[in-house]
Amino acid sequence: MAICDWCNREMTTARSCTVADLHLDGVSVPMVPWGREPGWRATSRCHDCGVLPRQLHHLGCDVQRCPLCGDQMMSCECRFDEDGSDEEDLGVDANGCLTERIVVGGQEVIVHYDADVPEKDLTVVHGIPCTTALRTVIDIATGIDDEHLARIVSDCLGRGLFTLEEAWGRLEEADMVERPGALRVRAVLPPLAAA
Ligand SMILES: [Zn+2]
Ligand SMILES: [Zn+2]
Ligand SMILES: [Zn+2]
């Protein structure tokens, strides 16, 4: 049993991998199918990854050639978008906090790090420590447009995750006066007088 990380197929029985191309700055680079490698004749399954002739090697197969330089894919120095890089995965959000792009359960998520989240912005949901709904909205506010943000805010209010009074109260505190995300939330939050 050997499951390919890329196509999730059992390599001894799969006909082919599903990865037909990788990307370089978003431009597709087709992979070299088994049997097109110079010096190889494919008459049976690839001896390393097991795909059928003229099918796509499972990524990481040691017979697989790099479509860019023609050398062994496993050992060449070429980098593709799919390889990612630690530097590119890190960023800084509009609130000045460090962000990191990670993959959780196949889903890409952006983690926001903040050094000093006050106690009042923290809560525990199903045993997992996290920021309150209000603080979370403030932290993501700079990354989304007004209309979407307004929908999120009214959804939170509707579900009772925080009240208008709580939201305005928190936004008026000193650490929220200049915070870009707080300014954004303030712009879409319904006025208290309406209540
Ligand atoms: Zn595969
Ligand atoms: Zn192979
Ligand atoms: Zn290469």
Side-chain angles (χ1 to χ4, degrees):
M1 286 279 290
I3 305 287
C4 169
D5 285 342
W6 292 79
C7 64
N8 278 318
R9 292 174 176 170
E10 167 53 44
M11 298 201 278
T12 55
T13 56
R15 292 173 50 81
S16 176
C17 196
T18 53
V19 181
D21 36 30
L22 293 180
H23 297 82
L24 205 58
D25 294 330
V27 178
S28 138
V29 181
M31 304 306 289
V32 181
W34 164 221
R36 293 279 177 76
E37 300 82 4
W40 288 89
R41 276 188 58 230
T43 52
S44 58
R45 284 182 177 268
C46 170
H47 71 79
D48 187 56
C49 75
V51 296
L52 293 177
R54 290 172 299 285
Q55 303 297 318
L56 300 157
H57 293 283
H58 295 289
L59 236 60
C61 169
D62 67 13
V63 177
Q64 188 169 42
R65 292 305 179 105
C66 169
L68 292 180
C69 69
D71 286 347
Q72 188 187 30
M73 183 84 184
M74 263 178 77
S75 51
C76 85
E77 302 278 299
C78 300
R79 302 281 292 168
F80 295 89
D81 297 353
E82 283 80 359
D83 290 321
S85 114
D86 291 346
E87 288 82 27
E88 285 167 24
D89 290 344
L90 295 177
V92 174
D93 68 16
N95 292 313
C97 298
L98 182 69
T99 62
E100 185 182 14
R101 187 188 310 272
I102 61 169
V103 175
V104 178
Q107 176 75 46
E108 184 179 284
V109 297
I110 307 289
V111 180
H112 296 253
Y113 294 95
D114 203 336
D116 51 341
V117 177
E119 197 74 9
K120 61 186 162 231
D121 287 340
L122 297 175
T123 184
V124 176
V125 177
H126 301 305
I128 303 167
C130 54
T131 53
T132 60
L134 176 59
R135 178 56 189 259
T136 305
V137 172
I138 292 170
D139 286 347
I140 63 171
T142 53
I144 51 188
D145 63 54
D146 278 357
E147 196 193 331
H148 189 185
L149 183 58
R151 262 205 321 275
I152 292 174
V153 167
S154 90
D155 185 52
C156 287
L157 291 168
R159 287 160 62 192
L161 296 179
F162 52 79
T163 66
L164 257 187
E165 290 75 16
E166 284 166 346
W168 279 113
R170 185 67 188 94
L171 289 171
E172 273 157 21
E173 288 174 41
D175 58 335
M176 287 298 154
V177 171
E178 302 272 316
R179 199 176 175 90
L183 297 175
R184 301 266 299 117
V185 173
R186 213 172 278 135
V188 302
L189 195 64
L192 257 186

